[in-house]
Amino acid sequence: MSINFNKERFLHRHIGTNPRQIREMLSAIGASSLDELMDQTVPKNIRLTREVELDEPMSEYRFLEEFRELASENKIFDSYIGMGYHETLTPNVILRNVLENPGWYTAYTPYQAEIAQGRLEALINFQTMVADLTGRELANASLLDEGTAAAEAMSMFYAMRRGNKRKGAHTFFVSEGCHPQTIEVVKGRAEPLDIEVMVGDHGELDVSDPELFGILLQYPGTDGSVADYSGFIEAARAQGNQVAVAADLLSLTLLTPPGEMGADAVVGTTQRFGVPMGFGGPHAGYFATRENYKRKIPGRIIGVSKDAEGNPVYRMALQTREQHIRREKATSNICTAQVLLAVIAGFYGVYHGPGGLRRIAERIHGLARVMHRGLQSLGFSVEHEHYFDTLKVRLESNARKEELKKAALARQINLRYFEDTSVGIAFDQVKDLDDVDQLLSLFAGLEGAGDESDDGESDLQVDVRQLAEGVTVDYPDSLTRTSSYMEHEVFNLYHTEHEMLRYLKVLENRDLSLVHSMISLGSCTMKLNATAEMIPLTWPEFSSIHPFAPQDQARGYHLLFEKFKEQLKAVTGFEAVSLQPNSGAQGEFAGLMTIRAYHRHRGEEHRRVTIVPDSAHGTNPASAVMAGMEVVVTQCDEHGNIDPDDLREKAEQHSEDLAALMVTYPSTHGVFEEDIKEICRVVHDYGGLVYMDGANMNAQVGLTSPAEIGADVCHLNLHKTFCIPHGGGGPGMGPIVATRQLEPFLPGHPVVSTGGGQAIDAISAAPWGSASILPISYAYIKLMGNEGLTRATEIAILNANYLKDRLEEHYPVLYTGQNGRAAHEFIVDLRPFKQSANVESVDVAKRLMDYGFHAPTMSFPVPGTLMIEPTESESKAELDRFCEAMIAIREEIRAIEKGASDAEDNPLKNAPHTMRTVMASVWDHPYSREEAAFPLDYLRFDKFWPAVSRVDDAYGDRNLMCSCVPMEAYSEGQQPAAVD
């Protein structure tokens, strides 16, 4: 037999089944080949007739070699730019054991609290830290970035207008001291809601203006200035206005927190809490507010409840606030947050503790003070008396500023250059006195700074260590923090690496992730996040670059962007790409705003109606409302397809005002709709455009495309189809891809030139969104190539149909295509069991935990069902194991139906079963301990134990508590006290 000299292909590592298993599965479902299965599943009229034009696939090792060369094109300069992005030190114990650990980054959003207690505790640490530092009672579990958090504050205030402000107030004031990217994101969110944004000096604002409803301030300001806002906030609130403050969280260890000044909301970013700059992201934004705003706060909040054993446990609280429930009534479309980054930031706070954070802040502030003294000795003037980390230095002319810039770049230093003659210098955790010395020598070298020697060099010498003597934190009383913070013991126990390591491992072991078993969440595509794709994430060439660094220093990033855009164009069939949206929901908003700009450009701004199928994910109508659209719902027929007659009727009825159709393809019912091209044609005939939600793109790649079906723009969930890990609820990425006619309107940015010639306002704070995780998706496409991507789609469809055919003998399957096939996901109906056995979908979801599985998507898009999506990465053995678990659960239901098992005291109603309950000395259930914990043989040898018993969700919402529980509560079985 001849030797095969071809190198190992990544395709065979990514796809979980081998050719023999594929043949077995095809035989089991009655298909002779993958081609036949695709013909039976994907409508012929949308199939691609040519291959997707991508580079030939690479091996993992060759890719990393080549990508290292691309990374070397990025140049790492010392950054003093600031503007919300700072160099930071990620503690190595957190870097290795969280950021680089699949046990943390492959988990899903913690809807199933019993198998998510680790990251829920990590998130409540984050919330407690943020609430304590900001001086407000309640914080959420992260937002996408600071700009988004500020925009969410505006939206919350607008929805909460009361009294005389209820209808008449439409003006939101933004201080000119805010970061420019924040101002633009706020403007972009305000425009479709007909909110007027006024930017100016808050000191000149008439807070009694009846048009005014809210105000945004920055603390410290973008130029570094620190001011006491107490009097201003008091006056503004007395006139019925609400005030948000965007604050540097680290500075609040030294400065009076905005909550103590009376701010209604405090927002910002936790990037400098151990999260690399990453050319703009991902980072965890934060949002803190008053406790009585708990039902209005955007994003997710983690709360405390109790489990069936009476122990305090964590869960996601008040979920009825979320967009997937409120749909078009939602005030926010937030779906993905930044959980992994919030977890890192919270652990940074745990590791350093309140004293450690203050020492870091004092050192940073001290460097700024020393620099201030040195500049004064050189004859330079610093603009503000009070500051935290940033100095604004006045120069006498633009020529002098350019001279300084040239000298700084020669020394690989990036400063901030204001539009006037000033420069900004922002210090951070990485800098030390040697850096101050280097900067002072830079200023001393400017022409005219001190006396010159014969060789033209300045004779002026500055001794930074002498300047540093006697430097203290010396703010006025009104700006000096006196209140305590982070007193909970979790922030005061784990300051040695050994203790921190063990704490991280304890929490990790409480959570089920892809390292344990398949997570078959429909519409979520929990596929392999390959190690080779993840490795570049922490390379300093990608992680250590400021998003506003000069373009020639980020050549590697820009090469990556261009190559990746070409990949996405090839896969979708479109001609234009924006990488800015940093979540799928943001992609939806960006796409709809682009459509709106297109209609406005054509003189048809009145086109505001968006048609949304009743099966759509809740972010669709929520995004449409955020984009200023009127939502019109079109019905689906009994087969789960959009009813073409109802759609045509709605399109004709709104023909004068039709802006768009939002459609998910394949549908959220797991079906390739045969009439999709006709549906798109109808919308186009009546003047609208088609927005395709890319949530189910994993069933399209290589077989069809958004352009082929007739869409005009779509977003791509890179955290689904293209392998960015879910991170326990973020980060995600949602770039939009569009036709050439929409290219001029793609999102721009106020600091860095990007987007189209008639760009809409920035969607995200950073120009390219969460740029540092784009290498993951780029790597996936490079490693797979067209053949690999197409095969992945085929196997995803095969795996779904294999599971469907095995399970439909035991559970009703709701929707299939014309030939009885599912796409990449399918829905099993559990509603009949409510009447026959008093078993609901939640009971099956909790019982699956006892079998070692995370439940599929529960009660979406149809209440009382499970939507199952296995992805292409799972082995036949894992698929069979899941089927065996589901079939065994069906037999448990059957036992209840037959009266052989008690209707109330049975393994489903009591699930999940913890080690504590199974090993307790008293067991008073009519079924055995073995049946509870080891219902199938494989569990005897490899058992994932849920950390807590079933969580009481209703109790948690009635008795809301959203901060850390005292340690003694766990040992004493105390119930958490309610927050009024």
Side-chain angles (χ1 to χ4, degrees), residues 494-505:
Y494 307 113
H495 300 166
T496 67
E497 183 166 333
H498 230 157
E499 287 302 305
M500 187 66 185
L501 176 65
R502 290 166 179 161
Y503 180 59
L504 295 177
K505 185 56 67 173

Side-chain angles (χ1 to χ4, degrees), residues 499-517:
E499 287 302 305
M500 187 66 185
L501 176 65
R502 290 166 179 161
Y503 180 59
L504 295 177
K505 185 56 67 173
V506 165
L507 296 194
E508 179 193 344
N509 288 344
R510 293 176 185 169
D511 289 10
L512 187 144
S513 68
L514 284 176
V515 306
H516 299 100
S517 58

Side-chain angles (χ1 to χ4, degrees), residues 206-236:
D206 178 6
V207 295
S208 66
D209 184 348
E211 288 289 318
L212 188 67
F213 70 87
I215 296 165
L216 175 67
L217 306 170
Q218 188 90 39
Y219 181 74
T222 190
D223 60 2
S225 60
V226 175
D228 178 9
Y229 292 133
S230 300
F232 174 82
I233 292 174
E234 182 180 11

Side-chain angles (χ1 to χ4, degrees), residues 99-406:
L99 182 56
E100 297 179 340
N101 183 351
W104 284 97
Y105 66 67
T106 68
Y108 187 63
T109 305
Y111 286 111
Q112 300 295 338
E114 295 85 354
I115 51 176
Q117 287 297 298
R119 62 190 179 283
L120 286 168
E121 180 169 327
L123 288 172
I124 212 157
N125 292 345
F126 173 86
Q127 290 180 183
T128 303
M129 178 182 74
V130 168
D132 283 3
L133 288 174
T134 60
R136 285 272 56 115
E137 303 87 349
L138 178 67
N140 70 9
S142 79
L143 290 174
L144 296 172
D145 55 35
E146 181 169 319
T148 301
E152 292 288 349
M154 175 188 68
S155 296
M156 184 180 82
F157 293 166
Y158 193 59
M160 293 175 64
R161 291 170 298 165
R162 295 290 182 269
N164 295 332
K165 302 268 184 185
R166 187 156 186 83
K167 292 183 179 179
H170 299 280
T171 299
F172 186 70
F173 178 85
V174 180
S175 168
E176 62 190 10
C178 291
H179 296 313
Q181 67 271 22
T182 300
I183 295 173
E184 176 139 335
V185 172
V186 168
K187 285 181 176 179
R189 284 281 294 274
E191 186 268 330
L193 301 178
D194 295 323
I195 297 172
E196 179 186 351
V197 174
M198 180 192 307
V199 180
D201 181 349
H202 75 276
E204 299 177 1
L205 176 65
D206 178 6
V207 295
S208 66
D209 184 348
E211 288 289 318
L212 188 67
F213 70 87
I215 296 165
L216 175 67
L217 306 170
Q218 188 90 39
Y219 181 74
T222 190
D223 60 2
S225 60
V226 175
D228 178 9
Y229 292 133
S230 300
F232 174 82
I233 292 174
E234 182 180 11
R237 297 193 78 249
Q239 296 296 324
N241 302 300
Q242 298 196 81
V243 181
V245 176
D248 181 316
L249 199 64
L250 187 60
S251 76
L252 303 185
T253 61
L254 307 181
L255 296 169
T256 301
E260 294 179 14
M261 293 181 180
D264 299 284
V266 188
V267 301
T269 176
T270 57
Q271 179 268 314
R272 70 191 311 173
F273 279 57
V275 181
M277 289 187 291
F279 208 47
H283 309 133
Y286 73 83
F287 192 112
T289 190
R290 299 179 183 276
E291 194 279 329
N292 56 325
Y293 292 1
K294 61 180 177 284
R295 296 191 182 275
K296 301 294 184 181
I297 187 172
R300 298 189 171 111
I301 51 176
I302 309 306
V304 182
S305 186
K306 63 178 182 177
D307 71 357
E309 301 172 61
N311 296 314
V313 296
Y314 298 115
R315 60 181 282 274
M316 292 204 302
L318 301 177
Q319 291 185 49
T320 53
R321 301 155 35 261
E322 294 196 28
Q323 39 66 31
H324 65 278
I325 294 174
R326 292 183 57 80
R327 299 177 70 83
E328 65 270 16
K329 295 183 178 64
T331 56
S332 169
N333 72 342
I334 291 297
C335 183
T336 299
Q338 300 283 25
V339 167
L340 184 65
L341 297 316
V343 164
I344 291 170
F347 283 147
Y348 182 91
V350 169
Y351 193 46
H352 288 295
L357 292 181
R358 182 179 176 91
R359 285 191 295 274
I360 292 169
E362 287 175 342
R363 190 162 58 248
I364 292 170
H365 177 62
L367 294 174
R369 292 286 304 274
V370 174
M371 184 70 191
H372 186 175
R373 288 182 174 185
L375 287 169
Q376 285 181 320
S377 70
L378 292 173
F380 294 95
S381 175
V382 172
E383 191 157 314
H384 303 292
E385 180 182 2
H386 302 301
Y387 47 82
F388 168 56
D389 62 353
T390 300
L391 304 176
K392 186 177 182 182
V393 185
R394 289 193 294 268
L395 300 178
E396 59 191 41
S397 66
N398 280 319
R400 179 62 67 89
K401 184 175 71 173
E402 289 302 313
E403 180 189 354
L404 178 66
K405 182 176 182 179
K406 182 178 179 181

